[in-house]
Amino acid sequence: MDKLLINTSDKNSIEYLKNYLKDFIKPNQKINIVCIGTDRIIPDSLGPMIGTILSENIILDNIKVVGTLQSPLHALNFKKRIKKELQKDTLVIAIDANKGNKIGEIQIINRPISPGKGFLKNLPSIGDVSIVGTTWERQEDIDIYDHKIRLGDIYKMSKIISLSIILAIDELKYDTDKDLVSYNMSL
């Protein structure tokens, strides 16, 4: 399957995302999780929020999270940080917000994404597998500051995506010598 599309209102969304992700992750594989966006704009805060949740809950040396609320990965620092912080020979999972058909949709795509493309940014494509969450709708004006989505909706989407990633890694018995996550992430 080329991609998976689900909605946060689907009660099985975590299960679907987790199972799809497990096809890409191998036990003990090095993974870079690249969470793109800024904390200064609500619709674009999905990536850094996911990065923060993941960095607080994943405690494996083989997994590196780039882009958090404290240290966002955005258009102004993207090229420099990717070059400096990404490890070689790793699976890269790219996460970003997008403008789509319906707020709350989450897609996993079996290819790289082009961050900032909707705002005419010329950034390199990234990701072996990509996760995008729709945080504003196509028919909305391009002005990202004038949006309909609430921070609580971004937070819910962030928790669904984060928990899916954590469970996919955990179910693969990624590292049996360590506890992988703290399971204090109820929805």
Side-chain angles (χ1 to χ4, degrees):
M1 184 167 27
D2 208 27
K3 72 178 180 179
L4 173 71
L5 175 65
I6 59 102
N7 194 290
T8 54
S9 62
D10 186 329
K11 66 179 183 174
N12 296 313
S13 58
I14 293 171
E15 190 72 19
Y16 294 144
L17 290 168
K18 174 196 71 168
N19 289 335
Y20 192 82
L21 280 170
K22 284 176 21 181
D23 289 342
F24 299 97
I25 301 169
K26 295 175 182 64
N28 298 317
Q29 180 179 29
K30 288 184 178 181
I31 301 174
N32 285 304
I33 303 173
V34 179
C35 302
I36 304 158
T38 179
D39 60 331
R40 294 177 183 239
I41 304 169
I42 289 176
D44 203 31
S45 65
L46 179 70
M49 196 172 293
I50 292 168
T52 298
I53 294 169
L54 291 175
S55 65
E56 291 172 348
N57 288 281
I58 295 179
I59 54 171
L60 293 174
D61 296 334
N62 311 39
I63 300 176
K64 181 172 186 170
V65 177
V66 178
T68 63
L69 290 169
Q70 296 77 23
S71 181
L73 176 68
H74 49 71
L76 300 177
N77 65 15
F78 184 82
K79 290 178 185 176
K80 183 178 179 180
R81 285 192 59 195
I82 291 302
K83 187 175 183 178
K84 181 179 175 184
E85 296 180 42
L86 249 56
Q87 301 164 327
K88 303 287 184 206
D89 301 320
T90 63
L91 172 69
V92 176
I93 300 173
I95 301 171
D96 199 4
N98 78 330
K99 191 172 193 176
N101 294 325
K102 186 171 185 216
I103 290 175
E105 288 181 340
I106 300 170
Q107 289 185 73
I108 300 180
I109 309 164
N110 187 9
R111 62 177 165 76
I113 56 172
S114 299
K117 188 175 181 181
F119 293 98
L120 307 175
K121 303 288 183 189
N122 188 19
L123 300 173
S125 296
I126 190 164
D128 298 305
V129 61
S130 305
I131 303 172
V132 291
T134 300
T135 58
W136 67 101
E137 294 177 352
R138 277 191 170 74
Q139 64 265 27
E140 289 184 60
D141 290 333
I142 196 76
D143 184 3
I144 196 168
Y145 295 99
D146 184 23
H147 55 79
K148 297 182 208 172
I149 195 161
R150 298 172 48 106
L151 185 58
D153 296 330
I154 300 283
Y155 183 63
K156 179 181 179 182
M157 195 181 309
S158 298
K159 286 179 72 172
I160 288 170
I161 294 169
S162 300
L163 192 53
S164 301
I165 293 168
I166 290 166
L167 291 173
I169 292 167
D170 194 41
E171 281 191 16
L172 289 169
K173 307 287 187 253
Y174 201 83
D175 186 30
T176 56
D177 295 335
K178 297 179 183 176
D179 291 330
L180 177 60
V181 297
S182 58
Y183 289 101
N184 59 355
M185 295 182 47
S186 61
L187 289 177

